[in-house]
């Protein structure tokens, strides 16, 4: 019996070591690849693929296959061909700015969920900055309730944050769903609008919101005739630009476990008209730490690995790396300007 037990323990150790090697290789690729195309086993029986700029990085046959997988998931959620904006427009230009997170069954390869992020360039304090829009999330109804949210909403932004040297990144989100409003508020930093007492609208929030609404409405399917309330960051009559099939009543919208988010949405949004929040915030060290410790399952080795890495970088290495990098801004320090000769 002891020999059998020892054999099982050895098997578990070998399995854990194999998974750890895979996770270490994943994060090394994240930091090394100029354009992300990575796969990771995030749940038992599930594989997650993250593809950055598929419109630029994938040949046409692979791009067509990826879009077909996304449409398979969408078809189980919405009537056929109801979405016409963003990645579903089929244009390479749209897909060149997208970052697709696709979860599939490991054995069959059947796609079950995806998130399509977009990177938008917006002006802030006179300089261009990238804003990562959290994008469209869809889950096969048969796969709901399997704990996929932390992958679909947080993992890809964490990968981008790490790949960018742990520099804070602006994020945006457009939604009328209380569950999503709450998820964004609890995952990222400096979120506005939010029912949480610390939420404040800064001038940076306002600049970014104006730039997004002026130049990037097509990213989230909002037409030119939709209004925008700058004091509340509410898009009025939002479902006029190809996203009509996503419009919900309050009763249809999934609720968050914390009732304050449902109360906030019911109070601020007109569901008959079709209003959305435009949420803006950042992923930074505090948000990354909170995501890893509070949302990633404790059994997840990647979460523990990256959490340790982040804490070490925060305390020992990160300030030195920022100081020595003369190609990018850090606080009051500005990048060295080349002579051009």
């Amino acid at each position: 019996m002891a020999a059998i037990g020892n054999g099982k323990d050895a098997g578990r150790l070998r399995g854990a070591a194999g998974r750890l090697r895979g996770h270490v290789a994943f994060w090394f690729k994240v930091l090394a690849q100029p354009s992300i195309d990575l796969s990771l086993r995030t749940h038992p029986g599930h594989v997650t693929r993250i593809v950055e700029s598929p419109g630029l990085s994938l040949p046409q046959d692979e791009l067509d296959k990826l879009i077909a997988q996304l449409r398979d998931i969408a078809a189980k959620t919405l009537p056929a061909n109801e979405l016409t904006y963003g990645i579903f427009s089929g244009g390479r230009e749209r897909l060149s700015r997208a970052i697709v997170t696709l979860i599939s069954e490991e054995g069959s390869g059947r796609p079950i969920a995806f998130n399509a992020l977009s990177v938008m360039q917006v002006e802030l304090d006179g300089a261009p900055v990238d804003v990562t829009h959290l994008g469209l999330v869809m889950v096969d109804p048969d796969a709901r309730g399997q704990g996929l949210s932390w992958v679909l909403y947080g993992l890809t932004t964490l990968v981008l944050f790490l790949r960018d040297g742990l520099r804070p990144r602006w994020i945006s989100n457009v939604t009328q769903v209380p569950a999503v409003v709450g998820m964004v508020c609890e995952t990222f930093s400096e979120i506005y609008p939010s029912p949480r007492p610390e939420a404040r609208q800064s001038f940076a929030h306002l600049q970014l919101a104006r730039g997004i609404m002026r130049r990037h409405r097509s990213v989230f399917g909002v037409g030119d005739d939709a209004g925008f309330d700058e004091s509340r960051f509410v898009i009025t009559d939002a479902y006029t630009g190809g996203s009509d099939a996503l419009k919900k009543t309050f009763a249809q919208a999934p609720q968050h476990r914390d009732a304050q988010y449902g109360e906030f949405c019911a109070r601020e949004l007109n569901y008959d008209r079709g209003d959305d929040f435009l949420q803006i915030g950042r992923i930074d060290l505090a948000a990354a730490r909170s995501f890893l410790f509070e949302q990633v399952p404790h059994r997840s080795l990647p979460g523990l690995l990256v959490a340790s890495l982040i804490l070490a970088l925060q305390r020992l290495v990160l300030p030195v790396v920022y100081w020595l990098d003369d190609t990018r801004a850090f606080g009051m320090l500005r990048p060295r300007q080349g002579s051009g000769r």
Side-chain angles (χ1 to χ4, degrees):
M1 296 294 291
I4 294 174
N6 291 337
K8 289 182 178 179
D9 290 342
R12 293 193 193 99
L13 288 173
R14 284 194 297 271
R19 290 192 295 273
L20 181 58
R21 284 195 299 272
H23 296 320
V24 170
F26 173 85
W27 291 112
F28 271 118
K29 288 181 181 178
V30 166
L31 299 174
Q33 286 186 343
S35 182
I36 298 169
D37 189 350
L38 300 169
S39 295
L40 179 68
R41 192 171 185 265
T42 49
H43 295 76
H46 293 163
V47 173
T48 297
R49 182 186 183 191
I50 302 173
V51 187
E52 184 179 17
S53 304
L56 296 176
S57 61
L58 296 183
Q60 190 62 50
D61 58 338
E62 292 187 26
L63 183 63
D64 291 343
K65 180 180 178 181
L66 178 64
I67 297 301
Q69 290 175 312
L70 305 185
R71 289 190 180 278
D72 283 346
I73 299 168
K76 296 179 180 179
T77 308
L78 300 170
N81 301 318
E82 284 292 326
L83 294 180
T84 59
Y85 74 96
I87 60 169
F88 290 108
S89 67
R92 272 194 175 268
E93 192 272 335
R94 294 268 187 234
L95 292 161
S96 69
R97 298 197 307 266
I99 305 166
V100 175
T101 303
L102 176 67
I103 303 177
S104 303
E105 291 180 346
E106 190 171 17
S108 66
R110 182 176 73 92
I112 60 172
F114 74 85
N115 183 12
L117 282 70
S118 295
V119 178
M120 307 177 293
Q121 193 167 85
V122 184
E123 191 170 284
L124 178 63
D125 295 334
V129 299
D130 286 340
V131 178
T132 302
H133 184 69
L134 296 184
L136 179 65
V137 173
M138 286 193 171
V139 181
D140 185 324
D142 293 335
R144 290 173 184 169
Q146 297 185 24
L148 305 179
S149 295
W150 72 271
V151 175
L152 295 170
Y153 287 103
L155 179 62
T156 306
T157 54
L158 178 67
V159 167
L160 296 172
F161 175 62
L162 288 173
R163 203 270 304 273
D164 204 32
L166 280 72
R167 290 173 172 83
R169 295 177 64 96
W170 288 100
I171 64 96
S172 64
N173 179 57
V174 171
T175 191
Q176 61 175 188
V177 176
V180 177
V181 170
M183 180 281 305
V184 171
C185 291
E186 295 185 356
T187 301
F188 301 100
S189 299
E190 300 178 36
I191 289 293
Y192 184 86
S194 166
R196 300 174 74 162
E198 69 271 18
R200 297 289 184 275
Q201 183 195 116
S202 69
F203 187 50
H205 285 102
L206 184 58
Q207 290 181 78
L208 294 173
R210 286 173 172 173
I212 290 169
M213 293 302 298
R214 184 168 56 248
R215 296 183 53 201
H216 298 290
R217 291 176 179 231
S218 62
V219 170
F220 39 87
V222 170
D224 292 336
D225 53 345
F228 183 60
D229 184 336
E230 291 188 351
S231 64
R232 299 183 299 132
F233 278 25
V234 171
I235 305 171
T236 57
D237 195 15
Y239 294 84
T240 56
S243 60
D244 311 48
L246 298 177
K247 183 178 177 181
K248 296 177 177 62
T249 65
F250 182 75
Q252 292 171 331
Q255 298 296 309
H256 195 274
R257 62 184 179 278
D258 187 336
Q260 68 170 323
Y261 299 112
E263 294 166 359
F264 180 58
C265 291
R267 182 173 66 249
E268 299 293 337
L269 301 179
N270 183 328
Y271 282 81
D272 292 332
R273 180 172 57 196
D275 291 356
D276 274 342
F277 284 122
L278 170 58
Q279 293 179 289
I280 294 178
R282 301 208 295 176
I283 180 168
D284 53 16
L285 277 170
R289 192 167 54 238
S290 175
F291 171 72
L292 289 167
F293 291 144
E294 297 176 13
Q295 298 195 38
V296 176
H298 292 169
R299 65 182 182 277
S300 173
L301 286 173
L304 297 178
L305 177 65
V306 178
S308 301
L309 175 64
I310 287 178
L311 291 175
L313 287 171
Q314 181 182 21
R315 293 180 178 273
L316 300 174
V317 181
L318 192 58
V320 176
V321 173
Y322 281 1
W323 184 271
L324 294 177
D325 184 355
D326 64 358
T327 65
R328 307 179 70 169
F330 173 47
M332 295 180 64
L333 299 178
R334 292 294 176 262
R336 181 178 60 186
Q337 299 296 319
S339 62
R341 295 183 219 173

